[in-house]
Every structure is written in structure tokens, then in C-alpha cells.
Amino acid sequence: QVQLVQSGAEVKKPGASVKVSCQTSGYSFTGYYIYWVRQAPGQGLEWMGRINPNGGTDYAQNFQGRVTMTRDTSISTAYMELSRLRSDDTAVYYCARGCDCSSNYLDPWGQGTLVTVSS
Amino acid sequence: EIVLTQSPATLSLSPGERATLSCRASQSVSSYLAWYQRKPGQAPRLLIYDASNRATGVPARFSGSGSGTDFTLTISSLEPEDFAVYYCQQRSSWPLTFGGGTKVELK
């Protein structure tokens, strides 16, 4: 079945960068978008961006200049790197595949990666 | 950006009762709205897409309705596994946005 398995929790200092991986299986990796969404403590879900089947990217304006989404098709894995971390970047980061239904809906999702930014 | 406002924030109900959740958009999203369920410690799961279409494997007790700016997710008879947080999401325009969530809790 379709699975997205994310890398483990990270603790980073302010100003550092973090790179979260999303290893996929059970489908043709190059046939679907991968989306990244985060949820800070007590906050709602926030869309960060997406990477398309050709490797092109769309980023939310809030993250422009700080986020980079890449992929390695040889191992069916997507990556999200966030730089110049701040304390308010502390959140659970999710990857998700575009659904088989309509574009820009997300299904399924990875299990989430907790990133803690603290000095 | 389109703001999605969900109400109520919390819904306290008993198993077997009907749950009605609302999502209101700051401008029309046509029918381009989805609903997700998230249980504690789990990733969100797509329930409804394009306002009224159930995703694969979603039980028939879940239904969605609405268009334009006002949408509803209805759970016809709550099962114990339905107590969770529910989010709406629009795909009408960039950026994709989510509502703040409605928690359905056990009364």
C-alpha cells in the first residue's frame, strides 16, 4: 500500500537549518506531487509548498527564501530543508502525497516529524 | 489568501449522535473544499474532497455539502473512533489554506 515514512525528530538551535526526509513506497514516485505542511503547537495546519513530478517547486510566500524542497527519484524520497530557523518554527512537519482524487488535496500523509528549535 | 473559519471549536457529543461541523470561507472557493480527520498521534486522513465526494474507504456516515463560502461536514451517527479533530482545506486559490479545526469530543 502507499506509505510515506518521515525521518525522526530533530532539535536545532536558532539560525540553523533542518532537513526532513519523506521516503515513499507503494506507488510511482514520479507520478505525484509531494506537499509539505506544518503544525506548530496550538496552531492550525500551514501549507509550506509542494514539489511536482518534474521536480519543480511552489512555495508559500511565508517560506520563500528559507525553504527548499527536493527529491531523489532513485530512492523515491522527498526532502524539505528549512533554514535560518527561529523558535516559532518549532512544529510537526508533515509530507503528503497528492491524492488520487483531485489535484491539491493531500492523501496519504507521513507520520510527521517534530522539529524543536531551542537555544 | 482565503481564510477558512471552522465552527464550533469544540463539539461535545455522545456515540450515536449526529455531528454537524461548519467551515466558512472568506471568499468563494466554489466546490474546491476538502475535510480531513486527525486522531491524536496520527497524521491527518482525507475524508471528503470537492465538498461532497467521499475519499476511498471512508464510511458512508460521513457526508459533505455546500458550495461557495459555506460548507458542512456531517457525521450521521458517531462511532467511538470518530472522536477526533476535523479540518477543512481549500484548493481554489494559492496558497492552499486550512481551517483551524473542530474537535469532536466525548460528552
Side-chain angles (χ1 to χ4, degrees):
Chain A
Q1 83 266 28
V2 177
Q3 283 194 304
L4 286 76
V5 179
Q6 298 182 223
S7 49
E10 303 260 14
V11 179
K12 295 292 183 180
K13 294 195 182 302
S17 297
V18 68
K19 190 170 186 177
V20 178
S21 67
C22 174
Q23 184 171 23
T24 73
S25 60
Y27 73 99
S28 173
F29 179 72
T30 53
Y32 292 81
Y33 284 79
I34 292 287
Y35 298 78
W36 290 89
V37 174
R38 76 176 187 180
Q39 186 165 34
Q43 304 296 312
L45 295 165
E46 181 178 24
W47 176 72
M48 299 179 68
R50 66 177 186 173
I51 183 164
N52 71 34
N54 295 322
T57 53
D58 298 293
Y59 300 140
Q61 190 161 7
N62 287 351
F63 299 97
Q64 288 276 2
R66 284 208 304 143
V67 70
T68 305
M69 295 177 187
T70 57
R71 62 183 194 156
D72 184 339
T73 58
S74 67
I75 55 172
S76 301
T77 298
Y79 302 91
M80 185 283 301
E81 184 169 20
L82 189 63
S83 63
R84 302 194 300 279
L85 289 168
R86 310 184 293 251
S87 58
D88 62 359
D89 290 318
T90 294
V92 177
Y93 291 76
Y94 293 99
C95 62
R97 196 197 73 172
C99 77
D100 275 327
C101 48
S102 300
S103 63
N104 294 319
Y105 296 133
L106 286 55
D107 184 67
W109 296 53
Q111 83 277 18
T113 297
L114 175 62
V115 175
T116 302
V117 183
S118 174
S119 55
Chain B
E1 88 179 32
I2 294 176
V3 176
L4 299 178
T5 302
Q6 292 187 240
S7 61
T10 304
L11 203 48
S12 299
L13 295 168
S14 301
E17 290 194 293
R18 183 183 189 89
T20 303
L21 288 66
S22 173
C23 177
R24 177 162 290 177
S26 59
Q27 62 191 78
S28 176
V29 299
S30 185
S31 294
Y32 300 134
L33 189 107
W35 291 92
Y36 297 86
Q37 175 194 64
R38 198 179 72 177
K39 298 179 184 179
Q42 296 186 20
R45 169 197 178 196
L46 179 67
L47 296 176
I48 301 287
Y49 66 93
D50 287 343
S52 60
N53 297 290
R54 272 190 301 277
T56 303
V58 175
R61 63 181 180 273
F62 291 92
S63 63
S65 63
S67 66
T69 61
D70 290 295
F71 299 86
T72 301
L73 174 70
T74 302
I75 311 171
S76 59
S77 177
L78 281 164
E79 297 287 338
E81 62 268 27
D82 298 337
F83 292 93
V85 181
Y86 294 83
Y87 297 93
C88 54
Q89 177 237 318
Q90 64 82 24
R91 71 174 183 102
S92 175
S93 68
W94 296 106
L96 305 181
T97 52
F98 293 85
T102 290
K103 181 179 182 181
V104 178
E105 67 174 20
L106 191 58
K107 187 174 182 180

